[in-house]
Structure formats: C-alpha cells, structure tokens
Amino acid sequence: MSTKIIAAMKTCFLIWLALVIKAEAAEFHVKKYGAKADGKTDDAKAIMSAWKEACQSKDKSTVVIGGGTYLAGPLTFNGPCKAPISMKVQGTIKAPTDVNKLKSQDGWVIFHGINALTLSGGGAFDGQGELAWKQNDCAKTGKCSSLPIPVIGVTVKNCVFTNTMNGVRVKTWPASPSGVASNLHFEDITMNNVSTPVLIDQGYCPYGNCQSEIPSKIKISDVRFKNIHGTSATQVAVQLVCSKGIPCTNVEVGDINLKYNGQGDATSTCENVQPKLTGKLVPQPCTTKPSKPS
C-alpha cells in the first residue's frame, strides 16, 4: 500500500474521530465549579456558573449534577443558549427552607427562554414543601404573588411517582388572570400509590377562600397524557376539570392503566373538556360526574 494511500486513510480517520468527538455533548460538571454536594453548603453559585458556561458553548453541552445533595435556590436557568443543551441530574437538588430566600423570583427553579431543553439523570428535586409551608400562609390568606404566565412546551417523561399527593398535574386558581398553558406532555410514567395520578384542576382552592364563582381565565390546550400506569391511592385516578369559561382543548389521554389501592375500581371524571382517547384505558375516562374541585 502506497504512502499516499496510508496518509489519506489516516487523515480520513482523524476527521471521522473529530466528528464523533464533536457530536458528543461536552459535559460541565458542577463539582468542578465548586459545588460541595453535602446538603449544607449553598451550591447555587457553582450550579449557575456551570450553566452559564455550558449555555455559551457553540457545541451541544450537558450540565452534570452528579451524586450527592445540593442545597441551592433560587435558581434561574436563562436562555437562549448557543447550541442544544441538556441537564443531567443524578443527585438531589434541595430547596432552602427559608422562603424569604425565594422572594427574588416567582419560584424556586425556573427554566426560561431555552429551546429544546432535555432534563434527565434519574435524580430528584426536593422542594422541602412541608417545612416551607409552615412558614408561608399565602394559600390560607389568599395573598399570594402571581405566577409567571404563559407556560408553553413542557415535557415530563420516564418518571416514577411514589406516595405523592398528586401525580402529573396542571392546576389554576379560580378568578386567575388571563394566560395560556399549552404543549404539555406527560409520558411513560409509573405511579406507586399516588393520589389522583392524572389531574387537570382549574378550580384549585385548597382552603375555600377563593372566588370560586369566577372561572379561571387560563386557556389550557395541547395536553397529552400517555402511557401512565401503576396504582392510585384515591378512587378517582383520572380527573380532568377544566374552566367553564375557557374549556380545555386538544387534550389526549392514551394508554392509561391505573388500579385503585382500595375496594372497587378506579374511576375517572371530566368537566368542560372532551378528551381524545387512544389505546387501552383503565379507567375509562369521563365515566363519573366530577365532585367539587379541591
């Protein structure tokens, strides 16, 4: 074999290898930016530093939050980024219990202005809700700050819920201001003894001090619940209660298999929505009349 042919083959191999390396996402490990992952140290600065550098990368990138517990918040992941970006959460991100630390923004963890974000890793977001709610009486007094509206383009996939108060849920308060929530996809999810595993609730009013006679003005559309299976802690396993002022549109329910962990069969309720039904469905949607939203 001639020297020229061998040289050409080496060049082709190096070009191929470079393309393969470039095709793989560059990883930005938050521990390299100073995160301690000890559950005590505030790791917000390290996480945000990794995100900002990854977001500025011209090649696709992944922010890696490895094993351990990261006390962090508030966190705002802003886009747009220069290339596709993903976040791999393998550890647990834990919210601060002092709600005053979260007053600087409308939420604990916010993703904003990012196109095609992928969130994976099998880790957890621990909001420490029980401890935080002891300090926060906004739901009881009705003096709560408005949440950002609209919400567009959310996908939740390949998750397991265990003993949670709700499963996949879209909720709005009565008399809420105008807004939209659309392109919401919940797929390939396992429920283990979860209360109301599939829920749209546009009459959410946990303490009864809402203007319940005024319907929500948030338009919910393009929602898909697909391949959700497991067990429900409540007999009503699927509840779709939409606004009577602005009914939900283009809601799809497909391949649902939920069994009630009690006597009798699981049931489903619907109000102000006509869902598109596909695949095998247990329970059959919209088979019982809805109770008053909680």
Side-chain angles (χ1 to χ4, degrees), residues 36-74:
K36 302 299 183 184
D38 58 8
K40 299 178 181 179
T41 305
D42 187 349
D43 286 328
K45 184 176 180 180
I47 293 172
M48 293 312 306
S49 294
W51 171 266
K52 288 176 182 178
E53 190 165 333
C55 190
Q56 290 302 308
S57 173
K58 294 182 180 179
D59 300 320
K60 65 180 181 179
S61 59
T62 300
V63 176
V64 180
I65 300 177
T69 300
Y70 301 79
L71 179 65

PDB file of all heavy atoms in Angstrom, residues 36-74:
ATOM      1  N   LYS A  36     -20.293  21.504  46.540  1.00  0.00           N
ATOM      2  CA  LYS A  36     -19.876  20.578  47.594  1.00  0.00           C
ATOM      3  C   LYS A  36     -20.756  19.338  47.673  1.00  0.00           C
ATOM      4  O   LYS A  36     -20.312  18.283  48.091  1.00  0.00           O
ATOM      5  CB  LYS A  36     -19.887  21.304  48.949  1.00  0.00           C
ATOM      6  CG  LYS A  36     -18.991  22.525  49.006  1.00  0.00           C
ATOM      7  CD  LYS A  36     -17.529  22.174  48.752  1.00  0.00           C
ATOM      8  CE  LYS A  36     -16.632  23.394  48.884  1.00  0.00           C
ATOM      9  NZ  LYS A  36     -15.221  23.089  48.547  1.00  0.00           N
ATOM     10  N   ALA A  37     -22.030  19.490  47.344  1.00  0.00           N
ATOM     11  CA  ALA A  37     -22.975  18.360  47.365  1.00  0.00           C
ATOM     12  C   ALA A  37     -23.037  17.698  48.728  1.00  0.00           C
ATOM     13  O   ALA A  37     -23.174  16.471  48.832  1.00  0.00           O
ATOM     14  CB  ALA A  37     -22.612  17.332  46.287  1.00  0.00           C
ATOM     15  N   ASP A  38     -22.978  18.505  49.790  1.00  0.00           N
ATOM     16  CA  ASP A  38     -23.038  17.958  51.143  1.00  0.00           C
ATOM     17  C   ASP A  38     -24.378  18.211  51.830  1.00  0.00           C
ATOM     18  O   ASP A  38     -24.576  17.847  52.987  1.00  0.00           O
ATOM     19  CB  ASP A  38     -21.905  18.520  52.010  1.00  0.00           C
ATOM     20  CG  ASP A  38     -21.925  20.051  52.111  1.00  0.00           C
ATOM     21  OD1 ASP A  38     -22.900  20.677  51.639  1.00  0.00           O
ATOM     22  OD2 ASP A  38     -20.966  20.631  52.648  1.00  0.00           O
ATOM     23  N   GLY A  39     -25.317  18.863  51.119  1.00  0.00           N
ATOM     24  CA  GLY A  39     -26.632  19.138  51.686  1.00  0.00           C
ATOM     25  C   GLY A  39     -26.658  20.309  52.645  1.00  0.00           C
ATOM     26  O   GLY A  39     -27.718  20.641  53.184  1.00  0.00           O
ATOM     27  N   LYS A  40     -25.520  20.948  52.877  1.00  0.00           N
ATOM     28  CA  LYS A  40     -25.439  22.054  53.832  1.00  0.00           C
ATOM     29  C   LYS A  40     -24.924  23.339  53.180  1.00  0.00           C
ATOM     30  O   LYS A  40     -25.402  24.431  53.468  1.00  0.00           O
ATOM     31  CB  LYS A  40     -24.528  21.669  55.002  1.00  0.00           C
ATOM     32  CG  LYS A  40     -25.015  20.457  55.791  1.00  0.00           C
ATOM     33  CD  LYS A  40     -24.036  20.101  56.890  1.00  0.00           C
ATOM     34  CE  LYS A  40     -24.489  18.876  57.665  1.00  0.00           C
ATOM     35  NZ  LYS A  40     -23.520  18.497  58.722  1.00  0.00           N
ATOM     36  N   THR A  41     -23.940  23.185  52.300  1.00  0.00           N
ATOM     37  CA  THR A  41     -23.339  24.333  51.623  1.00  0.00           C
ATOM     38  C   THR A  41     -24.247  24.805  50.494  1.00  0.00           C
ATOM     39  O   THR A  41     -24.824  23.987  49.772  1.00  0.00           O
ATOM     40  CB  THR A  41     -21.969  23.952  51.051  1.00  0.00           C
ATOM     41  OG1 THR A  41     -21.151  23.413  52.100  1.00  0.00           O
ATOM     42  CG2 THR A  41     -21.280  25.154  50.426  1.00  0.00           C
ATOM     43  N   ASP A  42     -24.385  26.120  50.333  1.00  0.00           N
ATOM     44  CA  ASP A  42     -25.188  26.665  49.241  1.00  0.00           C
ATOM     45  C   ASP A  42     -24.424  26.481  47.924  1.00  0.00           C
ATOM     46  O   ASP A  42     -23.398  27.129  47.691  1.00  0.00           O
ATOM     47  CB  ASP A  42     -25.469  28.147  49.491  1.00  0.00           C
ATOM     48  CG  ASP A  42     -26.446  28.742  48.467  1.00  0.00           C
ATOM     49  OD1 ASP A  42     -26.727  28.067  47.463  1.00  0.00           O
ATOM     50  OD2 ASP A  42     -26.920  29.863  48.696  1.00  0.00           O
ATOM     51  N   ASP A  43     -24.927  25.601  47.077  1.00  0.00           N
ATOM     52  CA  ASP A  43     -24.257  25.282  45.817  1.00  0.00           C
ATOM     53  C   ASP A  43     -24.834  26.041  44.622  1.00  0.00           C
ATOM     54  O   ASP A  43     -24.507  25.722  43.470  1.00  0.00           O
ATOM     55  CB  ASP A  43     -24.357  23.774  45.545  1.00  0.00           C
ATOM     56  CG  ASP A  43     -23.431  22.967  46.435  1.00  0.00           C
ATOM     57  OD1 ASP A  43     -22.358  23.471  46.795  1.00  0.00           O
ATOM     58  OD2 ASP A  43     -23.795  21.814  46.777  1.00  0.00           O
ATOM     59  N   ALA A  44     -25.684  27.025  44.865  1.00  0.00           N
ATOM     60  CA  ALA A  44     -26.344  27.730  43.768  1.00  0.00           C
ATOM     61  C   ALA A  44     -25.336  28.393  42.829  1.00  0.00           C
ATOM     62  O   ALA A  44     -25.460  28.315  41.601  1.00  0.00           O
ATOM     63  CB  ALA A  44     -27.316  28.769  44.317  1.00  0.00           C
ATOM     64  N   LYS A  45     -24.317  29.054  43.382  1.00  0.00           N
ATOM     65  CA  LYS A  45     -23.353  29.773  42.562  1.00  0.00           C
ATOM     66  C   LYS A  45     -22.607  28.822  41.640  1.00  0.00           C
ATOM     67  O   LYS A  45     -22.400  29.113  40.449  1.00  0.00           O
ATOM     68  CB  LYS A  45     -22.360  30.529  43.448  1.00  0.00           C
ATOM     69  CG  LYS A  45     -21.373  31.386  42.674  1.00  0.00           C
ATOM     70  CD  LYS A  45     -20.470  32.181  43.612  1.00  0.00           C
ATOM     71  CE  LYS A  45     -19.483  33.035  42.812  1.00  0.00           C
ATOM     72  NZ  LYS A  45     -18.596  33.825  43.718  1.00  0.00           N
ATOM     73  N   ALA A  46     -22.210  27.652  42.152  1.00  0.00           N
ATOM     74  CA  ALA A  46     -21.478  26.683  41.341  1.00  0.00           C
ATOM     75  C   ALA A  46     -22.359  26.130  40.222  1.00  0.00           C
ATOM     76  O   ALA A  46     -21.916  25.983  39.072  1.00  0.00           O
ATOM     77  CB  ALA A  46     -20.970  25.539  42.228  1.00  0.00           C
ATOM     78  N   ILE A  47     -23.604  25.835  40.536  1.00  0.00           N
ATOM     79  CA  ILE A  47     -24.527  25.302  39.523  1.00  0.00           C
ATOM     80  C   ILE A  47     -24.763  26.327  38.429  1.00  0.00           C
ATOM     81  O   ILE A  47     -24.739  26.003  37.235  1.00  0.00           O
ATOM     82  CB  ILE A  47     -25.851  24.882  40.188  1.00  0.00           C
ATOM     83  CG1 ILE A  47     -25.626  23.683  41.111  1.00  0.00           C
ATOM     84  CG2 ILE A  47     -26.903  24.535  39.131  1.00  0.00           C
ATOM     85  CD1 ILE A  47     -26.829  23.303  41.952  1.00  0.00           C
ATOM     86  N   MET A  48     -24.962  27.575  38.815  1.00  0.00           N
ATOM     87  CA  MET A  48     -25.223  28.613  37.828  1.00  0.00           C
ATOM     88  C   MET A  48     -23.977  28.904  36.977  1.00  0.00           C
ATOM     89  O   MET A  48     -24.088  29.212  35.784  1.00  0.00           O
ATOM     90  CB  MET A  48     -25.707  29.892  38.504  1.00  0.00           C
ATOM     91  CG  MET A  48     -27.082  29.773  39.172  1.00  0.00           C
ATOM     92  SD  MET A  48     -28.339  28.995  38.127  1.00  0.00           S
ATOM     93  CE  MET A  48     -28.253  30.001  36.646  1.00  0.00           C
ATOM     94  N   SER A  49     -22.798  28.795  37.568  1.00  0.00           N
ATOM     95  CA  SER A  49     -21.566  29.018  36.806  1.00  0.00           C
ATOM     96  C   SER A  49     -21.414  27.958  35.721  1.00  0.00           C
ATOM     97  O   SER A  49     -21.045  28.255  34.579  1.00  0.00           O
ATOM     98  CB  SER A  49     -20.351  28.997  37.741  1.00  0.00           C
ATOM     99  OG  SER A  49     -20.386  30.098  38.632  1.00  0.00           O
ATOM    100  N   ALA A  50     -21.706  26.709  36.087  1.00  0.00           N
ATOM    101  CA  ALA A  50     -21.630  25.621  35.101  1.00  0.00           C
ATOM    102  C   ALA A  50     -22.652  25.843  33.992  1.00  0.00           C
ATOM    103  O   ALA A  50     -22.357  25.645  32.807  1.00  0.00           O
ATOM    104  CB  ALA A  50     -21.864  24.280  35.795  1.00  0.00           C
ATOM    105  N   TRP A  51     -23.874  26.260  34.374  1.00  0.00           N
ATOM    106  CA  TRP A  51     -24.913  26.500  33.374  1.00  0.00           C
ATOM    107  C   TRP A  51     -24.519  27.614  32.411  1.00  0.00           C
ATOM    108  O   TRP A  51     -24.650  27.473  31.185  1.00  0.00           O
ATOM    109  CB  TRP A  51     -26.238  26.851  34.055  1.00  0.00           C
ATOM    110  CG  TRP A  51     -27.273  27.310  33.071  1.00  0.00           C
ATOM    111  CD1 TRP A  51     -27.553  28.600  32.706  1.00  0.00           C
ATOM    112  CD2 TRP A  51     -28.123  26.483  32.278  1.00  0.00           C
ATOM    113  NE1 TRP A  51     -28.534  28.623  31.739  1.00  0.00           N
ATOM    114  CE2 TRP A  51     -28.902  27.334  31.462  1.00  0.00           C
ATOM    115  CE3 TRP A  51     -28.316  25.108  32.194  1.00  0.00           C
ATOM    116  CZ2 TRP A  51     -29.854  26.861  30.569  1.00  0.00           C
ATOM    117  CZ3 TRP A  51     -29.271  24.622  31.302  1.00  0.00           C
ATOM    118  CH2 TRP A  51     -30.018  25.487  30.508  1.00  0.00           C
ATOM    119  N   LYS A  52     -24.041  28.716  32.920  1.00  0.00           N
ATOM    120  CA  LYS A  52     -23.715  29.865  32.080  1.00  0.00           C
ATOM    121  C   LYS A  52     -22.628  29.521  31.075  1.00  0.00           C
ATOM    122  O   LYS A  52     -22.697  29.916  29.904  1.00  0.00           O
ATOM    123  CB  LYS A  52     -23.297  31.048  32.955  1.00  0.00           C
ATOM    124  CG  LYS A  52     -24.456  31.668  33.720  1.00  0.00           C
ATOM    125  CD  LYS A  52     -23.984  32.774  34.658  1.00  0.00           C
ATOM    126  CE  LYS A  52     -25.165  33.345  35.447  1.00  0.00           C
ATOM    127  NZ  LYS A  52     -24.722  34.385  36.413  1.00  0.00           N
ATOM    128  N   GLU A  53     -21.623  28.766  31.505  1.00  0.00           N
ATOM    129  CA  GLU A  53     -20.554  28.392  30.581  1.00  0.00           C
ATOM    130  C   GLU A  53     -21.063  27.415  29.534  1.00  0.00           C
ATOM    131  O   GLU A  53     -20.732  27.516  28.350  1.00  0.00           O
ATOM    132  CB  GLU A  53     -19.378  27.794  31.353  1.00  0.00           C
ATOM    133  CG  GLU A  53     -18.151  27.615  30.484  1.00  0.00           C
ATOM    134  CD  GLU A  53     -16.888  27.372  31.291  1.00  0.00           C
ATOM    135  OE1 GLU A  53     -16.827  27.820  32.451  1.00  0.00           O
ATOM    136  OE2 GLU A  53     -15.956  26.744  30.743  1.00  0.00           O
ATOM    137  N   ALA A  54     -21.892  26.446  29.974  1.00  0.00           N
ATOM    138  CA  ALA A  54     -22.449  25.478  29.020  1.00  0.00           C
ATOM    139  C   ALA A  54     -23.357  26.165  28.015  1.00  0.00           C
ATOM    140  O   ALA A  54     -23.353  25.831  26.825  1.00  0.00           O
ATOM    141  CB  ALA A  54     -23.215  24.399  29.778  1.00  0.00           C
ATOM    142  N   CYS A  55     -24.138  27.117  28.476  1.00  0.00           N
ATOM    143  CA  CYS A  55     -25.082  27.822  27.609  1.00  0.00           C
ATOM    144  C   CYS A  55     -24.365  28.647  26.545  1.00  0.00           C
ATOM    145  O   CYS A  55     -24.901  28.869  25.462  1.00  0.00           O
ATOM    146  CB  CYS A  55     -25.986  28.714  28.456  1.00  0.00           C
ATOM    147  SG  CYS A  55     -27.390  29.433  27.590  1.00  0.00           S
ATOM    148  N   GLN A  56     -23.139  29.075  26.832  1.00  0.00           N
ATOM    149  CA  GLN A  56     -22.376  29.877  25.883  1.00  0.00           C
ATOM    150  C   GLN A  56     -21.578  29.015  24.900  1.00  0.00           C
ATOM    151  O   GLN A  56     -21.007  29.526  23.944  1.00  0.00           O
ATOM    152  CB  GLN A  56     -21.415  30.804  26.634  1.00  0.00           C
ATOM    153  CG  GLN A  56     -22.111  31.926  27.385  1.00  0.00           C
ATOM    154  CD  GLN A  56     -22.948  32.800  26.481  1.00  0.00           C
ATOM    155  OE1 GLN A  56     -22.455  33.296  25.460  1.00  0.00           O
ATOM    156  NE2 GLN A  56     -24.205  32.983  26.822  1.00  0.00           N
ATOM    157  N   SER A  57     -21.560  27.693  25.133  1.00  0.00           N
ATOM    158  CA  SER A  57     -20.829  26.804  24.252  1.00  0.00           C
ATOM    159  C   SER A  57     -21.476  26.767  22.864  1.00  0.00           C
ATOM    160  O   SER A  57     -22.698  26.696  22.733  1.00  0.00           O
ATOM    161  CB  SER A  57     -20.794  25.389  24.847  1.00  0.00           C
ATOM    162  OG  SER A  57     -20.228  24.480  23.926  1.00  0.00           O
ATOM    163  N   LYS A  58     -20.652  26.772  21.835  1.00  0.00           N
ATOM    164  CA  LYS A  58     -21.174  26.705  20.466  1.00  0.00           C
ATOM    165  C   LYS A  58     -21.498  25.274  20.048  1.00  0.00           C
ATOM    166  O   LYS A  58     -22.112  25.043  19.008  1.00  0.00           O
ATOM    167  CB  LYS A  58     -20.165  27.329  19.497  1.00  0.00           C
ATOM    168  CG  LYS A  58     -19.975  28.826  19.714  1.00  0.00           C
ATOM    169  CD  LYS A  58     -19.001  29.409  18.703  1.00  0.00           C
ATOM    170  CE  LYS A  58     -18.828  30.910  18.923  1.00  0.00           C
ATOM    171  NZ  LYS A  58     -17.857  31.506  17.955  1.00  0.00           N
ATOM    172  N   ASP A  59     -21.064  24.308  20.849  1.00  0.00           N
ATOM    173  CA  ASP A  59     -21.389  22.905  20.614  1.00  0.00           C
ATOM    174  C   ASP A  59     -22.397  22.452  21.662  1.00  0.00           C
ATOM    175  O   ASP A  59     -22.510  23.047  22.746  1.00  0.00           O
ATOM    176  CB  ASP A  59     -20.137  22.038  20.703  1.00  0.00           C
ATOM    177  CG  ASP A  59     -19.088  22.431  19.674  1.00  0.00           C
ATOM    178  OD1 ASP A  59     -19.492  22.725  18.531  1.00  0.00           O
ATOM    179  OD2 ASP A  59     -17.890  22.472  20.024  1.00  0.00           O
ATOM    180  N   LYS A  60     -23.128  21.381  21.372  1.00  0.00           N
ATOM    181  CA  LYS A  60     -24.118  20.910  22.333  1.00  0.00           C
ATOM    182  C   LYS A  60     -23.434  20.513  23.633  1.00  0.00           C
ATOM    183  O   LYS A  60     -22.298  20.021  23.637  1.00  0.00           O
ATOM    184  CB  LYS A  60     -24.941  19.761  21.766  1.00  0.00           C
ATOM    185  CG  LYS A  60     -24.178  18.486  21.473  1.00  0.00           C
ATOM    186  CD  LYS A  60     -25.138  17.438  20.912  1.00  0.00           C
ATOM    187  CE  LYS A  60     -24.440  16.116  20.623  1.00  0.00           C
ATOM    188  NZ  LYS A  60     -25.367  15.091  20.095  1.00  0.00           N
ATOM    189  N   SER A  61     -24.113  20.740  24.740  1.00  0.00           N
ATOM    190  CA  SER A  61     -23.485  20.582  26.045  1.00  0.00           C
ATOM    191  C   SER A  61     -24.450  19.973  27.050  1.00  0.00           C
ATOM    192  O   SER A  61     -25.671  19.994  26.870  1.00  0.00           O
ATOM    193  CB  SER A  61     -22.984  21.941  26.554  1.00  0.00           C
ATOM    194  OG  SER A  61     -24.071  22.855  26.640  1.00  0.00           O
ATOM    195  N   THR A  62     -23.873  19.441  28.129  1.00  0.00           N
ATOM    196  CA  THR A  62     -24.658  18.854  29.221  1.00  0.00           C
ATOM    197  C   THR A  62     -24.116  19.350  30.550  1.00  0.00           C
ATOM    198  O   THR A  62     -22.905  19.235  30.818  1.00  0.00           O
ATOM    199  CB  THR A  62     -24.590  17.313  29.199  1.00  0.00           C
ATOM    200  OG1 THR A  62     -25.100  16.838  27.957  1.00  0.00           O
ATOM    201  CG2 THR A  62     -25.398  16.719  30.343  1.00  0.00           C
ATOM    202  N   VAL A  63     -24.995  19.904  31.364  1.00  0.00           N
ATOM    203  CA  VAL A  63     -24.634  20.258  32.734  1.00  0.00           C
ATOM    204  C   VAL A  63     -24.891  19.031  33.595  1.00  0.00           C
ATOM    205  O   VAL A  63     -26.011  18.518  33.641  1.00  0.00           O
ATOM    206  CB  VAL A  63     -25.459  21.458  33.235  1.00  0.00           C
ATOM    207  CG1 VAL A  63     -25.125  21.750  34.697  1.00  0.00           C
ATOM    208  CG2 VAL A  63     -25.192  22.685  32.370  1.00  0.00           C
ATOM    209  N   VAL A  64     -23.855  18.550  34.268  1.00  0.00           N
ATOM    210  CA  VAL A  64     -23.954  17.322  35.055  1.00  0.00           C
ATOM    211  C   VAL A  64     -23.969  17.662  36.541  1.00  0.00           C
ATOM    212  O   VAL A  64     -23.028  18.251  37.067  1.00  0.00           O
ATOM    213  CB  VAL A  64     -22.786  16.359  34.749  1.00  0.00           C
ATOM    214  CG1 VAL A  64     -22.915  15.084  35.594  1.00  0.00           C
ATOM    215  CG2 VAL A  64     -22.747  16.019  33.267  1.00  0.00           C
ATOM    216  N   ILE A  65     -25.062  17.290  37.196  1.00  0.00           N
ATOM    217  CA  ILE A  65     -25.189  17.445  38.645  1.00  0.00           C
ATOM    218  C   ILE A  65     -25.133  16.034  39.214  1.00  0.00           C
ATOM    219  O   ILE A  65     -26.107  15.296  39.235  1.00  0.00           O
ATOM    220  CB  ILE A  65     -26.501  18.159  39.008  1.00  0.00           C
ATOM    221  CG1 ILE A  65     -26.515  19.549  38.352  1.00  0.00           C
ATOM    222  CG2 ILE A  65     -26.663  18.275  40.514  1.00  0.00           C
ATOM    223  CD1 ILE A  65     -27.786  20.328  38.572  1.00  0.00           C
ATOM    224  N   GLY A  66     -23.932  15.628  39.605  1.00  0.00           N
ATOM    225  CA  GLY A  66     -23.660  14.248  39.997  1.00  0.00           C
ATOM    226  C   GLY A  66     -24.273  13.861  41.331  1.00  0.00           C
ATOM    227  O   GLY A  66     -25.098  14.581  41.903  1.00  0.00           O
ATOM    228  N   GLY A  67     -23.866  12.709  41.839  1.00  0.00           N
ATOM    229  CA  GLY A  67     -24.418  12.204  43.088  1.00  0.00           C
ATOM    230  C   GLY A  67     -24.169  13.135  44.261  1.00  0.00           C
ATOM    231  O   GLY A  67     -23.201  13.900  44.280  1.00  0.00           O
ATOM    232  N   GLY A  68     -25.036  13.083  45.245  1.00  0.00           N
ATOM    233  CA  GLY A  68     -24.941  13.947  46.415  1.00  0.00           C
ATOM    234  C   GLY A  68     -26.178  14.823  46.552  1.00  0.00           C
ATOM    235  O   GLY A  68     -27.104  14.751  45.751  1.00  0.00           O
ATOM    236  N   THR A  69     -26.190  15.649  47.584  1.00  0.00           N
ATOM    237  CA  THR A  69     -27.314  16.546  47.845  1.00  0.00           C
ATOM    238  C   THR A  69     -26.838  17.990  47.746  1.00  0.00           C
ATOM    239  O   THR A  69     -25.894  18.386  48.441  1.00  0.00           O
ATOM    240  CB  THR A  69     -27.913  16.288  49.234  1.00  0.00           C
ATOM    241  OG1 THR A  69     -28.368  14.929  49.299  1.00  0.00           O
ATOM    242  CG2 THR A  69     -29.101  17.211  49.500  1.00  0.00           C
ATOM    243  N   TYR A  70     -27.503  18.751  46.890  1.00  0.00           N
ATOM    244  CA  TYR A  70     -27.093  20.125  46.600  1.00  0.00           C
ATOM    245  C   TYR A  70     -28.128  21.097  47.165  1.00  0.00           C
ATOM    246  O   TYR A  70     -29.254  21.176  46.656  1.00  0.00           O
ATOM    247  CB  TYR A  70     -26.976  20.337  45.092  1.00  0.00           C
ATOM    248  CG  TYR A  70     -25.992  19.420  44.411  1.00  0.00           C
ATOM    249  CD1 TYR A  70     -26.341  18.098  44.116  1.00  0.00           C
ATOM    250  CD2 TYR A  70     -24.726  19.865  44.052  1.00  0.00           C
ATOM    251  CE1 TYR A  70     -25.449  17.241  43.488  1.00  0.00           C
ATOM    252  CE2 TYR A  70     -23.825  19.017  43.420  1.00  0.00           C
ATOM    253  CZ  TYR A  70     -24.184  17.707  43.141  1.00  0.00           C
ATOM    254  OH  TYR A  70     -23.305  16.864  42.517  1.00  0.00           O
ATOM    255  N   LEU A  71     -27.785  21.801  48.215  1.00  0.00           N
ATOM    256  CA  LEU A  71     -28.653  22.856  48.739  1.00  0.00           C
ATOM    257  C   LEU A  71     -28.511  24.055  47.819  1.00  0.00           C
ATOM    258  O   LEU A  71     -27.414  24.610  47.662  1.00  0.00           O
ATOM    259  CB  LEU A  71     -28.246  23.223  50.163  1.00  0.00           C
ATOM    260  CG  LEU A  71     -29.065  24.331  50.831  1.00  0.00           C
ATOM    261  CD1 LEU A  71     -30.509  23.873  51.025  1.00  0.00           C
ATOM    262  CD2 LEU A  71     -28.448  24.716  52.169  1.00  0.00           C
ATOM    263  N   ALA A  72     -29.600  24.450  47.176  1.00  0.00           N
ATOM    264  CA  ALA A  72     -29.492  25.535  46.186  1.00  0.00           C
ATOM    265  C   ALA A  72     -30.849  26.163  45.924  1.00  0.00           C
ATOM    266  O   ALA A  72     -31.859  25.491  45.871  1.00  0.00           O
ATOM    267  CB  ALA A  72     -28.916  25.008  44.872  1.00  0.00           C
ATOM    268  N   GLY A  73     -30.834  27.465  45.749  1.00  0.00           N
ATOM    269  CA  GLY A  73     -32.048  28.163  45.384  1.00  0.00           C
ATOM    270  C   GLY A  73     -32.032  29.588  45.906  1.00  0.00           C
ATOM    271  O   GLY A  73     -31.414  29.871  46.927  1.00  0.00           O
ATOM    272  N   PRO A  74     -32.674  30.493  45.148  1.00  0.00           N
ATOM    273  CA  PRO A  74     -33.377  30.224  43.901  1.00  0.00           C
ATOM    274  C   PRO A  74     -32.408  30.012  42.738  1.00  0.00           C
ATOM    275  O   PRO A  74     -31.264  30.459  42.781  1.00  0.00           O
ATOM    276  CB  PRO A  74     -34.208  31.487  43.689  1.00  0.00           C
ATOM    277  CG  PRO A  74     -33.407  32.572  44.359  1.00  0.00           C
ATOM    278  CD  PRO A  74     -32.778  31.916  45.554  1.00  0.00           C
TER     279      PRO A  74
END
